[in-house]
Amino acid sequence: MRQLRFLLQKEFKQIFRNRALLPIIFVVPVIQLLVLPLAADYAIKNISISIVDHDHSSYSQQLVSKVISSGYFQLADYGNSYDVAFRQIELDESDLILEIPADFEKGLIRENHQQLFIAVNAINGTKAGLGGAYLNRIIADFNAEIRLDWQDPQRFQEFPTIEIVSSNWFNPLLNYRFFMVPGILAVLVTMVGAYMCSLNIVKEKEVGTIEQINVTPIKKHHFILGKLIPFWMIGIFIFSVGLFLVARLVYGIIPMGSLGLLYGFLSIFLIAMLGFGLLLSTYSETQQQAMSVAFFFMMIFLLMSGLFTPIESMPHWAKIIAWCNPVTYFIEVMRMIVLKGSGFADVKMQLLKTIGFAIFFNSWAIINYSKTN
Amino acid sequence: MQEVVIKTDKLTKRFGDFIATNEITFEVYAGEIFGFLGANGAGKTTAMRMLCGLSKPSSGQATIAGYDIYKETESIKKHIGYMSQKFSLYEDLTVMENIRFFGGIYGLTNKQIKEKIKNLAEKLGLQDQMRKLVGSLPLGWKQKLAFSVAVIHEPRIVFLDEPTGGVDPVTRRQFWDLIYEAADNGITVFVTTHYMDEAEYCNRISMMVDGVIKALDTPANLKAHYGAASIDEVFFELARGAKRSAD
């Protein structure tokens, strides 16, 4: 035990003296949490629209101002030539064309029927799809408004319409940040395990100090614990800064569920990731190697964890990778506990799997560690 | 009969087809300075790493301080010190912190550590450097410090792998004063070196060529046996036949 104390003392001194590591521990998490959720926002805004108005009536004016005032669109061009508008799309200055035919108002009043034309620049599929959908929605709204203007409320409604009312559970304002922030917090903690811990051990290999340690009577498990405990604590520290400082103060996210459950899960997840870092370090001889391999796995961890894209819409083979990814479960549980207030029973399966990962990575690492020495 | 602290019997290490050390058999007596000489690639470091418990022998027997090299590595580690070719103190810790750390993991009490720090500061003339990072010290001082740390727990044997590489002659002289002092205190010194003048300081030396010990005796006897004026000439005489190219 006394040896472990000396090891921990030494490790903390080195960490707090490392000018490259300190900013990573204290500054990077805050910046990532501040910048990423704002940038990784799926609500598409600022779609450029070109409106070709052949009618110039009061109804067409009403429609145009309704589109512009929705907040999603920016008027790139307003004119009466489709060719000019299409040229704008070709130049990538415009994403959408809304063509209002001549006699729009007249037709609407007399024939009770009118057609509009929307052309979409579909190079960016998401933007095109959502832009088109927003515009459809706005036009439908506009349509309902005119109906209301004309219809005698007393009269029997000729066309029955189905009105859809939805209520958004757990994130009523569909604030994308509520979805991203817990996920990014999970990623930050993953980085501590996969990068910092393995780099630290490989550095000792590279410099040669591990040899000196190996000729001392230090027990292997003490040495490993001496490495894991500091980074476990750093992981919990980073998580707490993110949760209490950034998520709460900046985004107003307060976990719905129990903090104890959240930290319990975090502790086990960290043990799994530190085991992964340890495993990487047993296979790497230089920090460069460890870094490259860790980077490769980080990419998979991030992209195949449901952080940005839902796992449900991945092809089957990708789903299998996602299910073998420990980060998947942590992100899932983070969102469940923080946004839904899920309890122990709800996250039991994820917890069991994470414990499995922790045992798997750590045993593999320890077996491999004793072999190489 | 002198007490034997290192005893090897046909100790061999193979890496695939390559035999790094081939059935080496020798004894080292308590309190002596044993020089372990040989060209680059002759297998010195491999042999030393086996004796320290850093690598498992392929075959053969050895006991270090009476402990078996296969079964009792943990006991061996308590009774040996080791200083590798690579400088291996923590450069981002201060002199004092390094001494405290290594003292601590060798199980010295806090009181003993305090005394060691005081004694070493005086002996090495490092009083003003104690709170400086080891990385900022000149190489000579680093090596002397590394040696002092390697014997901080007063081991039976200390293994030194080319301890004076790249060090100036004055510092080398001072370094050997430290080695003599350790030997006077009863610590057996097992040292590899490429400096033949240093070989003359040893009580006995062995010459390794191509993984085999070609000669083992006192410097004076070796010179007489080969009719050479210096150990340098003995070395050339023996190493001339080496097949392994120096790396």
Side-chain angles (χ1 to χ4, degrees):
Chain A
M1 270 337 270
R2 196 156 167 270
Q3 284 188 339
L4 187 59
R5 217 187 65 219
F6 277 103
L7 279 167
L8 288 175
Q9 218 172 36
K10 162 213 153 227
E11 214 57 59
F12 275 113
K13 271 183 193 144
Q14 286 182 304
I15 289 168
F16 284 109
R17 235 166 243 169
N18 189 331
R19 299 216 174 278
L21 203 59
L22 280 186
I24 296 181
I25 297 174
F26 292 99
V27 183
V28 170
V30 175
I31 292 184
Q32 287 202 334
L33 272 174
L34 287 178
V35 174
L36 273 183
L38 295 178
D41 190 337
Y42 276 0
I44 292 197
K45 285 170 194 149
N46 304 330
I47 305 166
S48 308
I49 187 167
S50 296
I51 297 178
V52 183
D53 187 353
H54 297 296
D55 194 41
H56 295 288
S57 62
S58 81
Y59 271 137
S60 79
Q61 287 299 328
Q62 268 180 39
L63 178 60
V64 170
S65 62
K66 190 166 173 62
V67 169
I68 303 306
S69 63
S70 70
Y72 294 111
F73 298 98
Q74 270 185 342
L75 193 60
D77 184 50
Y78 180 79
N80 44 23
S81 155
Y82 182 79
D83 291 339
V84 170
F86 192 73
R87 179 89 195 119
Q88 295 259 311
I89 285 205
E90 285 181 323
L91 291 172
D92 218 15
E93 278 166 12
S94 179
D95 303 306
L96 272 173
I97 301 175
L98 170 65
E99 193 177 25
I100 304 170
D103 302 331
F104 175 68
E105 187 176 85
K106 218 186 275 171
L108 205 58
I109 294 168
R110 287 202 193 137
E111 286 152 39
N112 213 353
H113 176 78
Q114 195 46 272
Q115 276 186 326
L116 288 165
F117 177 71
I118 302 173
V120 186
N121 174 3
I123 287 180
N124 182 340
T126 320
K127 207 171 182 181
L130 282 173
Y134 291 159
L135 197 54
N136 269 321
R137 181 75 199 260
I138 292 167
I139 294 168
D141 251 23
F142 177 71
N143 195 4
E145 275 170 31
I146 343 182
R147 260 166 201 270
L148 219 63
D149 277 355
W150 293 349
Q151 229 163 37
D152 179 358
Q154 305 296 321
R155 230 181 73 190
F156 169 72
Q157 185 135 6
E158 256 179 280
F159 311 104
T161 50
I162 297 172
E163 197 185 348
I164 300 164
V165 178
S166 57
S167 90
N168 302 315
W169 278 90
F170 311 124
N171 186 359
L173 297 174
L174 292 181
N175 187 337
Y176 201 69
R177 282 156 218 169
F178 286 6
F179 181 68
M180 284 312 287
V181 170
I184 288 170
L185 259 174
V187 168
L188 288 176
V189 175
T190 311
M191 303 258 292
V192 177
Y195 272 109
M196 288 189 201
C197 177
S198 65
L199 281 186
N200 182 289
I201 297 174
V202 176
K203 187 183 167 198
E204 291 226 16
K205 267 194 190 177
E206 218 175 64
V207 179
T209 43
I210 203 159
E211 238 308 72
Q212 197 66 48
I213 295 288
N214 282 341
V215 292
T216 67
I218 292 185
K219 301 252 182 340
K220 291 239 148 70
H221 63 269
H222 280 160
F223 179 73
I224 291 174
L225 279 178
K227 288 289 177 193
L228 296 192
I229 292 172
F231 289 98
W232 185 80
M233 289 168 75
I234 289 173
I236 290 189
F237 173 80
I238 289 182
F239 183 85
S240 307
V241 168
L243 188 68
F244 292 106
L245 225 67
V246 186
R248 174 167 287 193
L249 295 184
V250 180
Y251 298 106
I253 298 172
I254 296 163
M256 298 286 293
S258 124
L259 274 181
L261 183 62
L262 199 59
Y263 274 88
F265 201 100
L266 169 71
S267 310
I268 292 167
F269 175 75
L270 265 171
I271 295 173
M273 289 325 291
L274 289 169
F276 177 76
L278 186 66
L279 180 62
L280 282 189
S281 74
T282 61
Y283 280 105
S284 317
E285 290 306 317
T286 62
Q287 293 189 70
Q288 215 172 16
Q289 264 178 23
M291 196 79 174
S292 322
V293 179
F295 183 74
F296 168 75
F297 280 105
M298 276 309 286
M299 291 305 283
I300 294 180
F301 282 167
L302 293 194
L303 295 178
M304 313 219 66
S305 61
L307 175 65
F308 298 110
T309 46
I311 294 167
E312 291 77 10
S313 54
M314 291 178 186
H316 187 68
W317 60 266
K319 276 186 197 168
I320 292 174
I321 299 178
W323 291 330
C324 298
N325 176 357
V327 184
T328 303
Y329 302 106
F330 189 50
I331 290 181
E332 201 176 308
V333 166
M334 276 294 291
R335 285 172 177 159
M336 283 168 79
I337 298 178
V338 172
L339 300 182
K340 280 205 288 194
S342 301
F344 177 75
D346 304 306
V347 302
K348 207 167 66 192
M349 276 322 287
Q350 285 89 337
L351 189 65
L352 281 177
K353 282 173 192 160
T354 307
I355 292 174
F357 279 117
I359 294 171
F360 173 72
F361 285 137
N362 282 291
S363 351
W364 185 2
I366 288 167
I367 289 167
N368 203 49
Y369 181 83
S370 34
K371 230 192 257 169
T372 47
N373 290 294
Chain B
M1 185 66 191
Q2 281 174 287
E3 189 199 349
V4 175
V5 289
I6 302 176
K7 182 177 166 65
T8 73
D9 184 21
K10 295 185 175 170
L11 199 63
T12 303
K13 179 79 185 184
R14 276 183 226 98
F15 297 103
D17 291 338
F18 179 74
I19 303 172
T21 55
N22 194 1
E23 301 198 340
I24 55 171
T25 303
F26 63 93
E27 287 178 350
V28 178
Y29 306 121
E32 76 172 333
I33 300 174
F34 188 86
F36 202 56
L37 275 56
N40 289 330
K44 294 177 310 244
T45 301
T46 309
M48 191 180 261
R49 287 173 55 89
M50 281 193 286
L51 298 178
C52 294
L54 284 174
S55 105
K56 279 243 180 305
S58 307
S59 65
Q61 294 300 322
T63 55
I64 309 292
Y67 298 104
D68 183 79
I69 201 172
Y70 292 99
K71 287 175 239 146
E72 296 166 305
T73 47
E74 290 310 311
S75 306
I76 290 176
K77 285 176 181 178
K78 283 190 192 123
H79 293 97
I80 61 165
Y82 173 70
M83 183 180 161
S84 75
Q85 263 168 334
K86 266 187 180 175
F87 177 72
S88 51
L89 295 181
Y90 289 98
E91 304 229 336
D92 49 357
L93 293 182
T94 66
V95 176
M96 204 192 262
E97 286 162 350
N98 266 295
I99 298 173
R100 186 175 293 140
F101 172 68
F102 283 102
I105 58 176
Y106 275 114
L108 268 56
T109 63
N110 289 341
K111 201 175 144 226
Q112 283 173 316
I113 294 173
K114 233 175 233 159
E115 271 171 33
K116 283 281 176 195
I117 290 175
K118 201 167 145 263
N119 292 345
L120 283 181
E122 276 171 27
K123 194 162 84 182
L124 302 176
L126 282 172
Q127 286 99 330
D128 302 329
Q129 264 73 33
M130 292 308 272
R131 286 174 197 288
K132 278 196 186 152
L133 294 186
V134 165
S136 67
L137 295 181
L139 183 67
W141 264 344
K142 280 187 192 170
Q143 296 299 80
K144 283 189 275 184
L145 182 64
F147 177 77
S148 306
V149 168
V151 296
I152 196 164
H153 53 303
E154 289 157 16
R156 299 285 311 278
I157 309 154
V158 62
F159 292 90
L160 310 172
D161 196 358
E162 290 176 30
T164 52
V167 169
D168 67 71
V170 176
T171 313
R172 263 170 61 198
R173 190 65 241 192
Q174 292 169 342
F175 195 91
W176 273 87
D177 287 340
L178 289 176
I179 292 182
Y180 278 126
E181 194 195 306
D184 286 344
N185 290 336
I187 298 176
T188 308
V189 180
F190 187 98
V191 57
T192 73
T193 179
H194 284 305
Y195 296 107
M196 291 306 139
D197 58 327
E198 289 186 354
E200 308 256 8
Y201 303 150
C202 298
N203 298 118
R204 288 193 308 149
I205 52 177
S206 73
M207 290 270 188
M208 222 174 154
V209 179
D210 288 349
V212 183
I213 292 182
K214 274 280 172 73
L216 197 169
D217 215 330
T218 61
N221 286 352
L222 279 178
K223 279 186 282 189
H225 184 265
Y226 287 91
S230 66
I231 290 295
D232 217 24
E233 282 179 32
V234 178
F235 185 83
F236 274 109
E237 182 65 33
L238 285 164
R240 193 175 290 148
K243 289 184 187 68
R244 286 181 199 164
S245 55
D247 47 19

